[in-house]
Amino acid sequence: MRKLSEALYFAAITLWVGGMWAIGYVAVPVLFSSLGDRQLAGMVAGKLFALIGWIGLGSAAYLLVFLLTHWGSQVFKRGVFWLVLSMALLAAASLFGIQPLMAQLKADALPREVMQSVLRDRFAAWHGASSILYLVQSLLGLWLVIWANRGPR
């Protein structure tokens, strides 16, 4: 059973961090460069970011439970615990905070596209904040992958 739980530990890290990098730095740029309709590209990108947010929260839940059962109360002295928790909090902030705000700004701008409306500056500011959070989470994810390479110690 221990081998299975460790395999799932590595799989969860791979799914979460690999998904973040594949979506944020491969799929979404291709969407915006390939689709002629930026509004459609943004809608699809938003769905992809929401999906990876949910994958991140699910992965984080497993990782945190794994680490807690692996180290018990000593987990709070382990950097990997705080790293995973930080990533989970960033994912939650994006999923439950920034993404709904951006969706509401898009809805409020209708029938115009948000970037063609008076809400453009607010949307751009929240988009920038979202991008920064995603970059920080991606870099923490890279750190987690490097850390995981040493094994769940």
Side-chain angles (χ1 to χ4, degrees):
M1 192 64 159
R2 182 176 171 97
K3 288 219 181 255
L4 176 61
S5 65
E6 283 189 19
L8 289 174
Y9 172 83
F10 292 113
I13 292 171
T14 302
L15 178 63
W16 186 8
V17 177
M20 285 186 61
W21 282 81
I23 288 171
Y25 306 109
V26 178
V28 169
V30 168
L31 278 172
F32 279 96
S33 68
S34 299
L35 294 177
D37 185 347
R38 293 187 62 77
Q39 191 171 7
L40 176 61
M43 183 185 72
V44 174
K47 289 185 182 292
L48 289 171
F49 285 126
L51 175 64
I52 199 60
W54 284 108
I55 288 171
L57 290 180
S59 296
Y62 177 78
L63 294 172
L64 292 170
V65 168
F66 174 85
L67 293 170
L68 186 60
T69 58
H70 190 73
W71 285 313
S73 64
Q74 295 297 309
V75 74
F76 301 111
K77 296 179 182 177
R78 304 287 182 156
V80 69
F81 172 82
W82 296 107
L83 180 60
V84 171
L85 184 61
S86 296
M87 289 178 65
L89 291 173
L90 290 172
S94 179
L95 191 60
F96 301 120
I98 295 175
Q99 288 179 14
L101 275 169
M102 291 173 63
Q104 186 61 51
L105 288 171
K106 285 180 181 181
D108 291 346
L110 290 174
R112 297 182 125 175
E113 184 180 333
V114 71
M115 296 309 282
Q116 308 300 321
S117 75
V118 297
L119 300 173
R120 173 190 172 123
D121 292 340
R122 286 181 57 200
F123 184 84
W126 282 111
H127 188 275
S130 177
S131 297
I132 290 168
L133 284 182
Y134 196 85
L135 175 62
V136 170
Q137 190 180 3
S138 299
L139 293 174
L140 291 175
L142 180 60
W143 189 9
L144 180 61
V145 167
I146 291 167
W147 205 317
N149 194 37
R150 301 184 307 167
R153 300 182 191 131

